[in-house]
């Protein structure tokens, strides 16, 4: 494993906007795009679950094509005549994909589930359990991705292999939060989150309503211009009906002008929470980019915070134990982490330097006006782990030429983005690549 200052700056401004400033690898990318067809992006959750013949919860495996997880849960609850809170799931999956995940449903029988017929959804009853499925219960995801429109397909496999080899030598692929976290075509969730954290609630509302993207329709851009001018009545009339969060905010502002806190509260909690999480993710990305620029991606420094496989403890490194940490890191038994900053976060010198550049204090993540959005902070490995030892089918990245494209298969531990690995391989404009 090498510690190197060699890297490539990203030429794509849309990545720089979300803190992804560089590539770790210098191997030429293969280009291309993903998700040309839903079956080009297949993801399956990896679990360790036990079922039995009885229990309070029915456990099902759902395979869905072009279905958002939340919308499917809403549809399942409607078909079953139950509340959405009775359905448990571990993670949300990409809509433009074929995804398989497990769900638990309290108080329903097998016959009730087998009568459900939803287009592009397959439901398989697995058994019963006395434990429901919670967010984060799966330990990884298995990806089967086809990249199409690759310019030089004959050279692509060698380039992918070279990229993987280079990444391994440098400590793995950077664990960036991908574009999906911020909005692939209109990356603004972190900008809204920043204004919430800094108590600029009017700015948060106006950013969400008025930030335009060239990928939106002319009708939408016109509506956003009205919102920018604070003509909320006119904006409400012309905003497209599918933009339900913008409409909810505008409805509130028409009734209660200048009540920007109330306007934010008019959209569901999950979306409001995403804003703050996206801002934390943006700072994480900036910290990770800075480590790569300084040649510190996989060099353990005095004051780094280290996590350990199979152990939730986080330990602050010191000079006396650097060699021990480096040995554990090389064996993939320990990981250097970076923070999703919160009011209880402890930071290294480099992390403090980056966070200070944003003119924020950790206490600002204790948000009195929105206590439900306050965040203590957590830590996350800076390197993607693409090896899951106890996953029998596949433990490493595989690559082969298929009809009209290139197929990659790989498992990732939960929380890592497949697109963050793919961007190093493809080195393509994230919008053209369908990230």
């Amino acid at each position: 494993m090498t510690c190197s200052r060699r890297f490539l700056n990203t030429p794509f401004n849309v990545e720089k906007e979300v803190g992804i400033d560089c590539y770790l690898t210098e191997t030429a990318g293969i280009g291309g795009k993903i998700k040309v067809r839903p079956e080009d992006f297949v993801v399956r959750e990896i679990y360790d679950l036990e079922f039995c013949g009885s229990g309070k919860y029915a456990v099902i495996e759902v395979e869905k094509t072009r279905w958002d997880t939340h919308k499917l849960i809403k549809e399942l609850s409607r078909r079953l005549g139950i509340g959405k809170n009775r359905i448990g799931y571990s993670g949300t999956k990409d809509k433009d994909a074929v995804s398989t995940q497990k769900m638990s449903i309290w108080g329903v029988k097998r016959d009730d589930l087998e009568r459900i017929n939803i287009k592009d959804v397959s439901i398989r009853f697995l058994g019963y359990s006395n434990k429901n499925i919670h967010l984060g219960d799966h330990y990884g995801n298995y990806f089967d991705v086809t990249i199409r429109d690759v310019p030089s397909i004959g050279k692509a496999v060698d380039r992918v292999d070279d990229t993987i080899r280079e990444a391994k030598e440098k400590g793995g692929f950077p664990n960036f939060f991908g574009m999906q976290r911020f909005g692939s075509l209109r990356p603004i969730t972190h900008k809204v989150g920043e204004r919430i954290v800094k108590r600029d609630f009017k700015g948060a509302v106006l950013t969400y309503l008025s930030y335009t993207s060239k990928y939106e329709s002319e009708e939408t851009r016109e509506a956003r211009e009205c919102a920018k001018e604070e003509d909320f009545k006119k904006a409400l009339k012309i905003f497209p009906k599918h933009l339900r969060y913008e409409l909810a905010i505008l409805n509130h502002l028409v009734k209660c002008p200048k009540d920007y806190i109330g306007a934010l509260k008019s959209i569901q909690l999950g979306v409001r929470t995403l804003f703050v999480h996206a801002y934390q993710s943006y700072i994480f990305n900036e910290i990770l980019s800075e480590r790569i620029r300084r040649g510190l991606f996989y060099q353990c420094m005095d004051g780094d915070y280290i996590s350990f496989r199979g152990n939730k403890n986080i330990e602050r490194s010191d000079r006396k134990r650097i060699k021990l940490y480096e040995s554990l890191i090389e064996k993939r038994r320990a990981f250097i982490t970076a923070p999703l900053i919160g009011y209880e976060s402890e930071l290294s010198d480099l992390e403090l330097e980056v966070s200070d550049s944003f003119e924020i204090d950790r206490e600002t993540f204790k948000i009195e006006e929105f206590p439900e959005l306050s965040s203590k902070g957590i830590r996350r490995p800076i390197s993607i782990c693409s090896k899951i030892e106890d996953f029998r089918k596949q433990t490493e990245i595989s690559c082969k030429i298929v009809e009209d494209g290139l197929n990659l298969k790989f498992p990732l531990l939960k929380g890592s983005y497949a697109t963050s690995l793919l961007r190093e391989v493809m080195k393509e404009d994230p919008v053209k690549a369908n990230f």
Side-chain angles (χ1 to χ4, degrees), residues 196 199 201 261 265 366-374:
I196 290 173
R199 311 307 192 269
F201 302 117
I261 291 176
K265 289 183 176 180
K366 192 178 287 184
I367 308 168
E368 293 178 3
E369 296 86 350
F370 292 95
E372 71 280 8
L373 304 186
S374 297

Side-chain angles (χ1 to χ4, degrees), residues 255-315:
K255 294 174 186 174
C256 308
K258 299 185 179 181
D259 179 17
Y260 297 104
I261 291 176
L264 288 168
K265 289 183 176 180
S266 70
I267 57 179
Q268 65 187 50
L269 175 60
V271 177
R272 299 201 307 272
T273 303
L274 175 62
F275 294 147
V276 175
H277 287 178
Y279 183 48
Q280 293 171 304
S281 304
Y282 169 52
I283 299 171
F284 176 97
N285 281 355
E286 287 285 8
I287 290 170
L288 179 46
S289 290
E290 187 61 23
R291 287 194 75 115
I292 293 171
R293 281 194 292 265
R294 297 188 188 188
L296 299 172
F297 175 63
Y298 229 60
Q299 181 178 338
C300 184
M301 300 186 298
D302 183 34
D304 273 340
Y305 287 85
I306 310 298
S307 67
F308 301 90
R309 170 159 289 178
N311 191 326
K312 292 184 178 180
N313 292 340
I314 301 285
E315 195 171 299

Side-chain angles (χ1 to χ4, degrees), residues 10 88 122 127-128 135 170 191 219 238 246 248 280 332 364:
T10 178
S122 171
Y128 294 99
L135 280 171
K170 293 181 175 180
K191 297 177 187 291
E219 176 191 21
I238 64 175
E246 284 91 336
Q280 293 171 304
R332 308 298 290 176
T364 60

Side-chain angles (χ1 to χ4, degrees), residues 29 32 77 120 157 274 282 362 400 414 434:
S77 66
D120 297 325
V157 172
L274 175 62
Y282 169 52
R362 280 161 282 179
K400 67 177 181 179
K414 65 182 178 184
N434 285 337

